[in-house]
């Protein structure tokens, strides 16, 4: 829709798609010599969501022009059905009604103030924390929403463009894949908040070099718990450009522009484990600055 002679225009879209008969790699026992075999899986996956685009011309005058664009996506993904899921090799990976990208984790209840050891939720109340019965906490790391907002301002021969990117999601924090504190490995600074004597209330359990075997094993349960999940939402100044167009019409030059551009200049986030975007297999976005002169004859 467009309003007020298209000074304000917007588009709202909803999509819903279901796919079945998935072609996937079915895991095989290592004794076969192969890790998986391609096969059709009789599961149904649904992808749905909303996409919203908004564009406004805020000011439109002879020497000053300003417009804004806004985009928002709210995606959803869920496993609709999976015959005999509990009896398949995917039982520990998927859950009906949840996204495909979930993590099944232990629920961390904190550090016992008397023993100094991690404690986890015992879902079946049998007194033993096991992977089969107690990794029931579900964490979804796919973005809940994402989008961007961009602005373009032009005043006489000056031009300013900037774009902010935003994402709301969870991510694997700085404790993921760490070794037990007290062993000879680098550690995140957060492990300083540790249990030392009875009555201490701390985030991290007692240090161990391996002699305290219970603490050693419980750390690996901690690595598979919601203790390694944190808010990875962020706002990033993705791009910024400032340019000036020289009024050289009489010299025969059609266009002469001096510009400076920047990418990934600022990221606002509470996340501590490096880049909150966590692009697997890629280096984090690099901050870049460039400037130059563009002449068209």
């Amino acid at each position: 829709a467009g309003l007020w002679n298209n000074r304000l225009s917007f588009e709202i879209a909803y999509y819903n798609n279901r796919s079945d008969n998935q072609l996937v790699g079915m895991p095989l026992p290592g004794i076969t010599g192969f890790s998986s075999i391609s096969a059709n899986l009789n599961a149904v996956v649904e992808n749905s969501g909303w996409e919203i685009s908004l564009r406004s011309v805020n000011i439109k005058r002879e020497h000053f022009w300003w417009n804004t664009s806004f985009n928002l996506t709210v995606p959803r993904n869920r496993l609709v059905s999976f015959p005999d899921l509990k009896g398949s090799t995917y039982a520990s990976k998927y859950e009906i009604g949840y996204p495909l990208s979930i993590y099944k984790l232990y629920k961390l209840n904190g550090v016992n103030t008397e023993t100094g050891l991690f404690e986890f939720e015992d879902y079946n109340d049998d007194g033993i924390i096991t992977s089969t019965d107690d990794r029931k906490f579900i964490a979804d790391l796919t973005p809940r929403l994402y989008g961007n907002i961009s602005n373009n301002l032009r005043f006489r021969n000056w031009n300013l463009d900037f774009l902010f990117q935003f994402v709301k999601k969870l991510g694997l924090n700085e404790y993921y894949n760490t070794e037990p504190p007290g062993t000879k490995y680098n550690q995140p600074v957060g492990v300083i908040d540790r249990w030392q004597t009875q009555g201490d209330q701390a985030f991290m359990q007692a240090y161990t070099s391996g002699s305290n075997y219970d603490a050693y094993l419980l750390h690996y349960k901690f690595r598979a718990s919601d203790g390694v999940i944190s808010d990875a939402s962020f706002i990033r100044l993705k791009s910024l450009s400032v340019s000036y167009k020289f009024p050289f019409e009489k010299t025969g030059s059609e266009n002469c522009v001096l510009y400076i551009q920047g990418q990934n200049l600022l990221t606002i986030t509470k996340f501590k484990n490096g880049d909150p975007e966590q692009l697997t297999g890629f280096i984090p976005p690099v901050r870049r600055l460039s400037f130059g002169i563009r002449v068209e004859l």
Side-chain angles (χ1 to χ4, degrees), residues 246-257:
F246 291 95
F248 287 164
E249 290 84 356
K250 295 182 180 180
T251 65
S253 173
E254 294 273 339
N255 197 352
C256 181
V257 179

Side-chain angles (χ1 to χ4, degrees), residues 117-181:
L117 300 178
F118 285 130
E119 292 186 330
F120 303 92
E121 186 72 23
D122 186 4
Y123 281 91
N124 62 350
D125 294 321
D126 64 352
I128 304 173
I129 304 299
T130 61
S131 176
T132 304
D133 298 320
D134 298 308
R135 287 185 67 165
K136 301 297 184 181
F137 183 87
I138 295 178
D140 178 19
L141 304 193
T142 55
R144 302 298 296 171
L145 59 87
Y146 60 88
N148 63 72
I149 181 169
S150 63
N151 283 271
N152 172 248
L153 295 92
R154 186 171 67 227
F155 177 69
R156 295 187 182 274
N157 293 339
W158 289 94
N159 197 79
L160 170 65
D161 289 281
F162 59 91
L163 182 146
F164 282 94
Q165 170 194 12
F166 59 88
V167 179
K168 179 176 178 56
K169 68 183 188 74
L170 299 175
L172 298 169
N173 63 29
E174 66 270 31
Y175 302 106
Y176 180 68
N177 271 346
T178 57
E179 295 299 321

Side-chain angles (χ1 to χ4, degrees), residues 56-276:
S56 65
V57 180
N58 306 315
I59 299 176
K60 188 177 182 180
R61 297 178 181 173
E62 182 180 359
H63 298 298
F64 184 41
W65 189 75
W66 172 28
N67 79 321
T68 301
S69 295
F70 173 79
N71 295 283
L72 174 66
T73 299
V74 183
R76 294 292 181 264
N77 167 265
R78 70 186 182 101
L79 181 62
V80 178
S81 65
F82 192 139
D84 193 28
L85 173 59
K86 292 186 178 180
S88 73
T89 54
Y90 292 100
S92 61
K93 187 175 182 181
Y94 299 136
E95 191 77 18
I96 301 296
Y98 287 87
L100 300 182
S101 56
I102 62 171
Y103 281 72
K104 288 190 173 184
L105 305 169
Y106 298 108
K107 179 69 174 68
L108 179 66
N109 288 338
V111 176
N112 187 299
T113 58
E114 298 300 316
T115 65
L117 300 178
F118 285 130
E119 292 186 330
F120 303 92
E121 186 72 23
D122 186 4
Y123 281 91
N124 62 350
D125 294 321
D126 64 352
I128 304 173
I129 304 299
T130 61
S131 176
T132 304
D133 298 320
D134 298 308
R135 287 185 67 165
K136 301 297 184 181
F137 183 87
I138 295 178
D140 178 19
L141 304 193
T142 55
R144 302 298 296 171
L145 59 87
Y146 60 88
N148 63 72
I149 181 169
S150 63
N151 283 271
N152 172 248
L153 295 92
R154 186 171 67 227
F155 177 69
R156 295 187 182 274
N157 293 339
W158 289 94
N159 197 79
L160 170 65
D161 289 281
F162 59 91
L163 182 146
F164 282 94
Q165 170 194 12
F166 59 88
V167 179
K168 179 176 178 56
K169 68 183 188 74
L170 299 175
L172 298 169
N173 63 29
E174 66 270 31
Y175 302 106
Y176 180 68
N177 271 346
T178 57
E179 295 299 321
T183 55
K184 53 182 181 179
Y185 293 93
N186 290 333
Q187 298 287 341
V189 69
V191 303
I192 294 176
D193 180 16
R194 73 189 193 277
W195 184 94
Q196 298 182 68
T197 59
Q198 287 187 351
D200 283 352
Q201 294 184 351
F203 172 77
M204 184 58 58
Q205 68 173 2
Y207 287 180
T208 177
S209 60
S211 57
N212 186 340
Y213 196 59
D214 288 337
Y216 192 84
L217 291 180
L218 285 172
H219 179 81
Y220 291 99
K221 282 188 168 61
F222 167 75
R223 285 186 7 177
S225 76
D226 65 322
V228 301
I229 304 294
S230 294
D231 184 6
S233 304
F234 67 92
I235 299 175
R236 174 173 288 155
L237 179 55
K238 192 67 176 178
S239 63
L240 174 68
S241 174
V242 180
S243 64
Y244 179 77
K245 182 179 179 180
F246 291 95
F248 287 164
E249 290 84 356
K250 295 182 180 180
T251 65
S253 173
E254 294 273 339
N255 197 352
C256 181
V257 179
L258 176 67
Y259 66 88
I260 181 169
Q261 297 175 338
Q263 293 179 321
N264 306 309
L265 298 176
L266 174 68
T267 301
I268 303 172
T269 183
K270 295 180 180 180
F271 192 66
K272 298 180 180 179
N273 188 25
D275 176 38

